[in-house]
Amino acid sequence: MKITRPLWESHGHAGSLQGQDAFVSLLLPCRHFIDVGAGHGIFKNNTWNLERAGWRGLLFDRNPRAIENCRLHRQSQALCIDARTFDFAACFEEHKLPKILDYVSFDVDAATIEAVANFPFEEYEFLVMTIEHDLWSRGPEARDAVRARMSKFPHYQLAAPDVCWAKDKPVEDWFINTRYFPSASLNAMNAEYPWWAVIQQLAGEKPGEPA
């Protein structure tokens, strides 16, 4: 499978920055998503391109202006909430979501530890999750807390640890549910184009520069 540069390359960073949307679309058909920390909703957003491809889901952010922009430009419902205290389980029940969520995106910056602790992983599974921990700029605390939380669920595997936005600058962990996907170990820490190397490994290509 040939992977091409994502749309943000020529559209002012519309879509994900580290290829999260490409990673998810390689694993899953058009389904639904949970976007926690949706921000602007288009620029640097992990679900914008998925929605353009027919996906639907729920967008969450604590910034009212960001949510207003999501409501103007996105088709999925956008909710202004604090991910550290919000009752996600009640919201998912209200929206009649299945107990198995296809894709969960976490990008909540300094609120990562509390938001992940608050998310109802005991009640809702995911198939794929990408989560920003900003190891290179914030240190290991958030990353270690995320991994400790996920280690309580043996069916989740850290398929791509410390995905980098640039060489030697790790920002994210990408998890898969091994009940639904084969075990995978994707490593691109030393690649010249780190996050592209992860996606190309998944697609069965030799890691290198994106075309």
Side-chain angles (χ1 to χ4, degrees), residues 63-157:
N63 186 324
R65 293 185 64 182
I67 288 298
E68 180 181 357
N69 194 74
C70 287
R71 290 171 178 167
L72 285 173
H73 299 290
R74 297 290 298 265
Q75 296 185 49
S76 299
Q77 185 175 357
L79 302 172
C80 190
I81 60 100
D82 186 336
R84 298 170 298 181
T85 58
F86 183 66
D87 191 340
F88 285 101
C91 177
F92 296 165
E93 184 175 352
E94 178 183 349
H95 286 84
K96 299 183 181 348
L97 297 187
K99 289 293 185 178
I100 301 175
L101 308 170
D102 291 325
Y103 171 45
V104 177
S105 169
F106 262 100
D107 184 355
V108 292
D109 301 322
T112 298
I113 295 174
E114 293 169 285
V116 169
N118 180 54
F119 197 83
F121 292 111
E122 289 78 8
E123 300 175 60
Y124 287 85
E125 286 189 49
F126 62 79
L127 299 184
V128 181
M129 180 174 73
T130 64
I131 183 162
E132 183 181 272
H133 53 58
D134 286 326
L135 172 64
W136 80 276
S137 61
R138 299 180 186 272
E141 185 179 8
R143 183 196 66 176
D144 294 348
V146 169
R147 292 182 181 181
R149 178 91 162 102
M150 292 299 100
S151 69
K152 298 177 181 179
F153 308 95
H155 50 287
Y156 293 140
Q157 181 187 2

Side-chain angles (χ1 to χ4, degrees), residues 3-19 21 42-44 48-49 52 165 193 195-196 209-211:
I3 307 299
T4 57
R5 291 181 184 270
L7 292 177
W8 63 256
E9 187 83 320
S10 57
H11 290 82
H13 292 289
S16 65
L17 278 179
Q18 285 83 45
D21 43 18
I42 298 176
F43 302 117
K44 304 179 183 180
W48 163 247
N49 283 326
R52 294 177 67 201
W165 72 269
Y193 301 89
W195 57 270
W196 266 108
E209 181 178 2

